[in-house]
Amino acid sequence: MQGLSQYEVTSRKRATMLDHMDHLYRLQKNDLHRGAAVLANAFQHDPIWSKVMAEATSELKQAAFETPLRYYWKYGAVYAASDQLEGVITYIAGELAEMTMWRLLRSGALWIGVGLREAVHLGRKMEPVFRPVQADRKQNMQGGPYIYLPMLGVAAEHQGKGVGGRLLRALIAQCEQARLPLYLETETEDNVRWYTGHGFDVIKQISLPGINLPMWEMVRNPQ
């Protein structure tokens, strides 16, 4: 794994233990722009993203998803239901969940066609909102190995067809086999009920600073 430290290689290998998601499509590098568009579409009515991105241009909204998607593609994995990208799921070893500036640079996630000033402004706006979530994640998992699920989204025209459940069940099956907890955060009570139905438990509910919206922190331990 050229360009990665030994720590990152070890952590990346933990995620690649799960890289056998049968009957799913693993995104290639040239799929990432389209994958980000799917996620932007899927989250267009999400309360947190709607508030954070209220004044953003369409290009910046795309970049807000393409940046992390490129990061997770480099250090974790990105899958879709098929090569049509009806829905997209990402995951990464928990110890690489924090997107440091150095890792972002190495992943190419910062060079995606938006102005540097716009990108910096968005980053400064988002960082204090999500800082408590990152701190809680470390505290909740207490340094143990786990898989982090940062993004799962289904394009609006494919919602309600079981695409999201198919993606999630595939990841759960791999976490069960590897005997690793699966951790995520979600923004709505409907999502909490959906994830609870898949075996997740709420660890904590917080209010995000600056936007005063709730976030639920959840984990699914091997069963």
Side-chain angles (χ1 to χ4, degrees), residues 15-23 26 79 91 170 174 177:
T16 57
M17 289 169 60
L18 280 61
D19 281 357
H20 305 287
M21 305 269 273
D22 291 343
H23 310 298
R26 185 167 187 176
Y79 278 88
Y91 64 85
Q174 293 302 308
Q177 184 174 342

Side-chain angles (χ1 to χ4, degrees), residues 95 103 119 126 139-140 156 158 162 173 211 222:
E95 56 266 44
R103 292 181 195 145
M126 294 174 65
Q139 181 177 352
N140 291 337
H158 295 290
I211 59 174

Side-chain angles (χ1 to χ4, degrees), residues 21-220:
M21 305 269 273
D22 291 343
H23 310 298
L24 297 183
Y25 174 73
R26 185 167 187 176
L27 271 67
Q28 305 301 305
K29 192 171 186 178
N30 60 4
D31 294 315
L32 296 178
H33 185 75
R34 190 160 55 107
V38 170
L39 290 169
N41 175 273
F43 282 86
Q44 61 184 311
H45 301 302
D46 178 272
I48 291 176
W49 284 101
S50 295
K51 197 158 189 176
V52 170
M53 304 295 294
E55 300 175 0
T57 64
S58 58
E59 292 81 6
L60 199 54
K61 290 177 180 178
Q62 168 84 13
F65 288 96
E66 191 162 347
T67 293
L69 197 64
R70 287 181 178 275
Y71 179 87
Y72 298 128
W73 185 85
K74 171 75 171 181
Y75 290 101
V78 183
Y79 278 88
S82 76
D83 60 4
Q84 299 302 302
L85 307 194
E86 299 92 339
V88 174
I89 189 170
T90 65
Y91 64 85
I92 192 168
E95 56 266 44
L96 293 179
E98 181 181 355
M99 291 187 287
T100 66
M101 182 59 68
W102 179 239
R103 292 181 195 145
L104 282 167
L105 285 168
R106 284 196 293 180
S107 69
L110 294 181
W111 312 108
I112 49 177
V114 297
L116 181 60
R117 181 178 297 179
E118 285 184 308
V120 169
H121 175 73
L122 179 61
R124 287 177 176 171
K125 184 177 180 180
M126 294 174 65
E127 194 277 334
V129 173
F130 294 105
R131 187 189 303 136
V133 174
Q134 181 174 300
D136 279 354
R137 192 186 311 136
K138 292 180 179 179
Q139 181 177 352
N140 291 337
M141 301 312 290
Q142 300 179 350
Y146 67 98
I147 296 298
Y148 177 50
L149 196 176
M151 295 190 295
L152 167 58
V154 178
E157 64 269 28
H158 295 290
Q159 292 177 7
K161 300 178 182 179
V163 174
R166 180 183 169 202
L167 292 168
L168 182 59
R169 286 191 297 273
L171 180 54
I172 287 173
Q174 293 302 308
C175 287
E176 284 286 338
Q177 184 174 342
R179 308 305 296 164
L180 289 170
L182 181 57
Y183 186 96
L184 59 84
E185 300 100 8
T186 195
E187 301 96 300
T188 70
E189 292 184 350
D190 285 344
N191 287 352
V192 171
R193 286 190 288 269
W194 189 72
Y195 283 115
T196 299
H198 286 85
F200 286 81
D201 295 309
V202 175
I203 300 177
K204 186 178 181 181
Q205 180 183 347
I206 66 171
S207 179
L208 295 176
I211 59 174
N212 299 316
L213 289 174
M215 177 77 87
W216 286 265
E217 301 162 355
M218 307 184 74
V219 68
R220 187 187 190 282

